[in-house]
Amino acid sequence: MVLKVFFPQCCNAADSGLLIGRWLPGHNSAVVLAVIHFPFIPGQVKQYLNQLQSLTQMDLTVLGSWCKPSEDQESVQSFLKDLSTIFPHGRWLHLSSEIGKKRFSCQVNSRGSKVIESDDKEDKGDQVICIHYDQCKVMLSQLHPAQGGILNPQTELSELRLVFQTVSQSQALFYIDKYDEGPFKLTHWQSEGREGSIIVELSKQASVPVCLVLTWLLSVWYWVCKSRILNLWPMRFVSSKLSSCIQLSHRTEHLQVISVPRKAEDHTEFMRKANIFVSFLVDVALGLLLISWLYRENRIGRLANTLVPVADRIAEELQELLKWLMGAPAGLKMNRALDQVLGRFFLYHIHLWISYIHLLSPFIGMILWYVGLSACLGLTFALSVLSDIVALLTFHIYCFYVYGARLYCLKVYGLSSLWRLFRGKKWNVLRQRVDSCSYDLDQLFIGTLLFTILLFLLPTTALYYLVFTLLRLLVVLFQGLLHLCVDFINSFPLFAMGLRICRSYRLAAGVKFRVLEQEPERPLHLLMEINPLTYSAVLQWYRTLTYSCYPKDSWGALCKKLFIGELIYPWKHKNIKTD
């Protein structure tokens, strides 16, 4: 039977004393956490262990003894072996290092049975494996389930996970500073003094009042948002369609998460808060950099001066495009009457749009100046405002697309209904299926006339629909890129990725073992090293959930909507098929 002893590397140079640790339940393994130096009083050791058990909620005990080479090694070794009667347990480990040897030997005393040594040749089934581990890294690391699974607390933990859990829950054992006057001295990873930072401690002290102030400000903001004026139908409708309002509500939810003054309950909640906090700080920092760039060298004024000429240039190009469509585009023969009606209709809309732009031209500089200040709320909010500005400036293109799509869709559905009329079919709205139907001669005659008219008018309508759909797709593509940038900043786990780069052991995917010493008559010594998570696994585990800015339709459904004339970026999705 193999006995595995997990021994911390920081205890290799410890003075002689007792091994404090835990026997893993259900496994033939022991985890050594610290060494209590000689001399000590056994009664105080028992009292200290009882205090640790109440704090850590684990059955910490004396695993055995540790002996370091010295002048009176034999007397100390015999004294430490006799302590097995004072601290009774099923097995007693006796680890002793030898002069001139890098590693130590192991001896296991079992109550009521013989002594098992590492070089015992009589019982070859018993073997001792000493696994050395870095106590600091194991305590600070989080072991993740394999293949992206979810750890169920009710299931039985594996041996490796029990080792990580034992070390991480034994923080009370490591909080003894070297300047504390205790009844005895211990050796562990913080025996040379507790690691700490003045900045970190001051941040912890200041976090509570900052969270309280932030919570109060958020409560005021929620009260303003819940007021009756903002809950009226026009305000509620407009706020639900503007990307800036959606991003503002999203950031408000993030601030509400990180402003909770209570401590995170588990590692997942801590990482979520840390990722949101770092993402918010980086977002605001990028927004301030954008403000400093915009308001330097009067870039806002130059942008306002070029906006109206660019709008005029776009309008001229659209007018030239409409005049080209009103003639013989690409040599195609269009329906003259319908072509002239549609062309003049869209030209009148462009004229209205240009008049509206020139009416606002004196105020564009002031509007852009105040809009640029919104970047102090973060780069994501500035990008959302830019998306809304693009939507407002291209509203005439959206109107052209809606007009062309509705007209084209009406003709497509009309032709499909009349085609079913020729085949003696009709669409049953109640049963949502196509049923047989008998038509008289007058109905067939009228249906033939309407089918012929719609069929010959379809190419003209389809050409206008195709042109304005391409223009709309360009606008949607640009807005989609802005939304992808916003979603990337909101969801990218910056804190977790920083841990993966700087302290990769904090995010553990597993462990690997390296042979340190392997001799015939000595125990096998292994070094346990932590395998960090891959970067893709870090993104999978710690990516922050955001509002969906992606189209809910697949590529097939999107192509189908383009073919039949349904809106590709509608505010409302159709769920019921109509005829």
Side-chain angles (χ1 to χ4, degrees):
M1 191 172 184
V2 179
L3 173 63
K4 285 173 277 189
V5 180
F6 292 87
F7 192 81
Q9 291 178 321
C10 55
C11 295
N12 286 327
D15 296 335
S16 301
L18 294 177
L19 299 175
I20 304 298
R22 179 192 182 193
W23 292 98
L24 299 183
H27 301 277
N28 193 31
S29 304
V31 181
V32 179
L33 298 174
V35 176
I36 297 180
H37 295 178
F38 180 81
F40 50 82
I41 301 176
Q44 293 179 346
V45 175
K46 289 184 177 181
Q47 184 179 2
Y48 177 67
L49 289 177
N50 292 332
Q51 295 177 359
L52 288 179
Q53 289 178 1
S54 61
L55 291 175
T56 61
Q57 301 298 322
M58 292 190 305
D59 51 345
L60 299 181
T61 182
V62 177
L63 300 177
S65 58
W66 163 260
C67 187
K68 184 180 180 181
S70 60
E71 296 179 357
D72 54 348
Q73 180 179 0
E74 295 182 359
S75 60
V76 173
Q77 189 171 1
S78 61
F79 171 75
L80 293 176
K81 285 184 179 181
D82 294 339
L83 290 177
S84 60
T85 58
I86 303 177
F87 301 99
H89 201 274
R91 282 173 293 184
W92 181 268
L93 299 177
H94 181 69
L95 308 181
S96 59
S97 58
E98 302 176 4
I99 300 177
K101 299 266 180 135
K102 295 182 179 180
R103 305 302 170 189
F104 52 82
S105 61
C106 180
Q107 180 179 344
V108 182
N109 297 334
S110 299
R111 298 185 62 185
S113 61
K114 67 174 185 177
V115 177
I116 302 175
E117 297 184 0
S118 58
D119 55 351
D120 194 353
K121 299 181 180 180
E122 296 180 1
D123 191 358
K124 296 184 180 180
D126 295 315
Q127 184 182 2
V128 179
I129 300 178
C130 298
I131 302 175
H132 300 260
Y133 69 96
D134 192 326
Q135 198 171 56
C136 174
K137 292 183 178 181
V138 173
M139 191 195 73
L140 297 178
S141 64
Q142 175 67 26
L143 187 61
H144 296 75
Q147 299 179 355
I150 299 176
L151 179 62
N152 188 1
Q154 298 179 355
T155 59
E156 184 179 356
L157 299 177
S158 63
E159 181 181 9
L160 184 61
R161 195 171 296 279
L162 281 174
V163 173
F164 277 74
Q165 185 184 46
T166 300
V167 179
S168 62
Q169 292 183 0
S170 303
Q171 297 182 8
L173 176 64
F174 308 135
Y175 283 170
I176 297 179
D177 195 83
K178 72 173 183 177
Y179 298 107
D180 294 340
E181 295 181 358
F184 34 76
K185 185 180 178 182
L186 288 86
T187 295
H188 47 73
W189 76 281
Q190 280 191 340
S191 57
E192 293 299 325
R194 187 186 307 178
E195 291 185 357
S197 172
I198 297 178
I199 298 177
V200 173
E201 295 299 328
L202 291 177
S203 302
K204 290 180 180 179
Q205 296 296 328
S207 62
V208 176
V210 170
C211 289
L212 292 177
V213 173
L214 188 59
T215 303
W216 180 78
L217 293 176
L218 289 176
S219 63
V220 174
W221 172 254
Y222 272 113
W223 178 79
V224 173
C225 293
K226 295 297 181 181
S227 60
R228 292 185 177 181
I229 297 178
L230 296 180
N231 281 330
L232 295 177
W233 180 82
M235 296 293 296
R236 189 171 64 251
F237 177 78
V238 172
S239 62
S240 63
K241 307 308 173 189
L242 293 178
S243 301
S244 55
C245 293
I246 297 176
Q247 175 61 21
L248 188 61
S249 63
H250 189 65
R251 278 303 184 197
T252 304
E253 295 176 0
H254 282 179
L255 291 176
Q256 188 179 12
V257 170
I258 64 178
S259 63
V260 178
R262 63 177 177 82
K263 188 179 179 181
E265 296 180 356
D266 52 7
H267 175 77
T268 304
E269 185 179 357
F270 167 75
M271 293 296 293
R272 181 169 181 263
K273 286 186 175 182
N275 286 324
I276 291 175
F277 181 71
V278 175
S279 174
F280 177 75
L281 289 183
V282 173
D283 187 19
V284 174
L286 293 176
L288 294 178
L289 288 177
L290 179 62
I291 289 178
S292 65
W293 182 81
L294 285 176
Y295 290 90
R296 189 183 304 166
E297 300 177 0
N298 195 23
R299 289 189 174 92
I300 289 288
R302 286 185 289 175
L303 180 62
N305 294 332
T306 57
L307 187 61
V308 176
V310 169
D312 291 338
R313 180 63 179 174
I314 293 176
E316 291 177 1
E317 295 294 336
L318 287 176
Q319 288 176 350
E320 293 295 330
L321 178 63
L322 287 174
K323 291 178 181 179
W324 178 71
L325 291 176
M326 292 172 65
L332 298 176
K333 185 174 179 59
M334 314 299 293
N335 185 277
R336 182 69 177 176
L338 181 60
D339 194 11
Q340 292 295 322
V341 169
L342 292 178
R344 291 176 182 178
F345 176 75
F346 292 127
L347 285 174
Y348 179 69
H349 274 71
I350 294 177
H351 174 71
L352 291 179
W353 179 251
I354 292 298
S355 302
Y356 172 70
I357 291 295
H358 284 279
L359 184 64
L360 290 179
S361 59
F363 310 100
I364 288 179
M366 183 179 61
I367 293 174
L368 290 180
W369 195 89
Y370 286 106
V371 167
L373 293 177
S374 64
C376 64
L377 298 177
L379 180 62
T380 54
F381 187 78
L383 293 178
S384 301
V385 172
L386 178 60
S387 176
D388 294 335
I389 292 176
V390 170
L392 292 175
L393 292 179
T394 59
F395 185 71
H396 56 305
I397 296 178
Y398 177 76
C399 293
F400 295 164
Y401 164 70
V402 171
Y403 298 152
R406 291 305 185 192
L407 187 60
Y408 175 77
C409 183
L410 178 64
K411 291 187 177 182
V412 169
Y413 276 106
L415 288 173
S416 63
S417 298
L418 294 174
W419 178 251
R420 285 193 292 267
L421 183 142
F422 291 154
R423 297 183 297 136
K425 306 287 185 180
K426 73 171 184 177
W427 174 256
N428 193 332
V429 180
L430 295 179
R431 297 181 179 272
Q432 294 292 305
R433 68 183 185 185
V434 177
D435 295 335
S436 300
C437 181
S438 59
Y439 298 98
D440 55 17
L441 187 60
D442 295 337
Q443 291 175 334
L444 293 175
F445 178 72
I446 297 297
T448 303
L449 291 179
L450 292 177
F451 183 84
T452 305
I453 294 173
L454 292 179
L455 182 61
F456 283 101
L457 293 180
L458 182 63
T460 304
T461 307
L463 183 60
Y464 277 89
Y465 168 70
L466 177 62
V467 172
F468 293 128
T469 299
L470 294 177
L471 294 177
R472 175 60 183 167
L473 285 176
L474 290 177
V475 176
V476 170
L477 179 62
F478 181 73
Q479 288 182 312
L481 292 177
L482 294 178
H483 289 168
L484 284 177
C485 295
V486 172
D487 187 72
F488 176 78
I489 298 175
N490 287 333
S491 62
F492 190 75
L494 287 172
F495 181 77
M497 198 60 66
L499 282 182
R500 175 61 181 84
I501 296 174
C502 300
R503 295 188 176 183
S504 57
Y505 61 86
R506 294 286 299 271
L507 306 175
V511 297
K512 59 182 177 182
F513 297 96
R514 183 164 57 89
V515 178
L516 293 178
E517 185 181 75
Q518 186 176 10
E519 296 182 4
E521 298 180 356
R522 295 181 62 84
L524 175 64
H525 288 267
L526 302 177
L527 176 62
M528 185 176 72
E529 298 177 348
I530 295 177
N531 281 332
L533 282 176
T534 60
Y535 291 100
S536 59
V538 172
L539 290 176
Q540 180 182 359
W541 272 96
Y542 298 108
R543 185 176 183 272
T544 307
L545 297 178
T546 59
Y547 66 93
S548 177
C549 63
Y550 308 103
K552 297 180 175 58
D553 300 319
S554 61
W555 287 105
L558 184 62
C559 294
K560 180 182 178 182
K561 284 187 176 183
L562 288 174
F563 181 75
I564 64 178
E566 291 188 6
L567 298 181
I568 61 173
Y569 202 60
W571 287 347
K572 292 183 179 180
H573 294 275
K574 277 191 174 183
N575 295 324
I576 301 176
K577 184 179 179 180
T578 58
D579 188 16

